[in-house]
Amino acid sequence: IEQAAFLIPLMSRHTSKSMWVQREIEQAIISPHLKNRVFTVFLDSGVTSPWVLRSLPSVTESNASRAADRVTR
């Protein structure tokens, strides 16, 4: 995360419950070099968003190829 240019967490029903995923997202959000560079992809429409992601840009897309297209626009 310290060397990343962006962070794009792929959130599913499973990853949204992971403490490790949440910790990495929190670390990215407080990293100055990633300010405005965290964009979340929700892979399932029923995923509960961790509180740290609620104010950040996101897209819900179950198809990985379409998700990549939407993120890179």
Side-chain angles (χ1 to χ4, degrees), residues 6-61:
F6 295 91
L7 179 71
I8 304 173
L10 304 176
M11 302 302 290
S12 69
R13 290 182 190 113
H14 301 290
T15 58
S16 67
K17 296 176 184 174
S18 169
M19 288 303 299
W20 289 110
V21 172
Q22 187 163 340
R23 286 181 187 160
E24 288 185 1
I25 292 168
E26 289 171 357
Q27 182 181 356
I29 290 171
I30 63 172
S31 296
H33 76 283
L34 289 175
K35 184 175 181 168
N36 300 319
R37 292 175 175 250
V38 178
F39 189 95
T40 307
V41 175
F42 291 98
L43 300 172
D44 302 312
S45 60
V47 174
T48 302
S49 175
W51 70 269
V52 297
L53 296 177
R54 291 189 184 139
S55 64
L56 300 176
S58 67
V59 63
T60 300
E61 182 60 69

